[in-house]
Amino acid sequence: MSQYVPPSPQATQKAGLSGLKIALIIVAAVVLVVIVPCVGIMVAVAIPSFLRAREISRRNACQENLSRVDGAKQQWALDNNQTSPSDAPTWAELVANGKYLHSSPVCPSGGTYQLNDMSETPSCSLSAEPPFPHEFPGMIQINGAGLQQDLSPESP
Ligand SMILES: [Zn+2]
């Protein structure tokens, strides 16, 4: 016949759940079920817009470079009496300390620049890259007829 041995007070405390532990478990469950998916949804929404904003910023920086290179080409043509549309400067004629550009412009997205002749604006190799093509600023595509100067006023 076995004898009943009452559990020690420490054993009773270990086996049972105190009110604080139950509250912690409930809080942890709420965090797992509600807050973690909400944060996941917010991150899933935010990341694409961050990436989009970064690409737009890089495109804008590239267009600023193209605009500076075009200004340097125009100034080179004036200074050197280059009046033919087929005249074309070289990078060495444009880029140097004391010349038209202090340093070679670098496309922030890794594109490469073409100077082109005086009948064309300089271009980036990513000029047809969707969704944010690095086109020369102010140029728009009209019915597939090539690039045309956009003369419409800037919207505020
Ligand atoms: Zn570019």
Side-chain angles (χ1 to χ4, degrees):
M1 213 170 138
S2 65
Q3 260 189 328
Y4 173 72
V5 178
S8 69
Q10 285 112 357
T12 307
Q13 208 171 20
K14 281 182 185 170
L17 291 173
S18 69
L20 181 63
K21 285 182 180 173
I22 291 172
L24 284 176
I25 290 172
I26 290 172
V27 167
V30 166
V31 166
L32 284 176
V33 171
V34 177
I35 296 175
V36 169
C38 284
V39 169
I41 290 169
M42 289 191 306
V43 167
V45 169
I47 285 179
S49 57
F50 284 140
L51 294 178
R52 179 183 152 83
R54 185 178 68 178
E55 277 311 307
I56 289 173
S57 175
R58 286 178 175 175
R59 191 265 323 264
N60 291 346
C62 179
Q63 288 181 325
E64 179 67 28
N65 285 342
L66 291 171
S67 189
R68 283 179 44 235
V69 171
D70 192 51
K73 278 177 64 179
Q74 301 294 334
Q75 192 64 46
W76 168 85
L78 283 173
D79 289 351
N80 297 288
N81 293 323
Q82 303 288 328
T83 53
S84 169
S86 62
D87 289 334
T90 63
W91 284 108
E93 290 173 304
L94 295 183
V95 181
N97 203 5
K99 287 195 177 177
Y100 307 100
L101 296 168
H102 287 290
S103 59
S104 291
V106 177
C107 174
S109 296
T112 53
Y113 292 126
Q114 286 289 316
L115 279 175
N116 299 325
D117 60 26
M118 292 308 294
S119 66
E120 291 180 70
T121 56
S123 59
C124 177
S125 61
L126 303 177
S127 64
E129 201 75 26
F132 306 111
H134 294 200
E135 295 171 330
F136 190 80
M139 304 304 266
I140 55 172
Q141 192 89 28
I142 298 177
N143 298 331
L147 295 174
Q148 308 253 329
Q149 186 84 36
D150 180 11
L151 299 175
S152 59
E154 296 266 336
S155 57

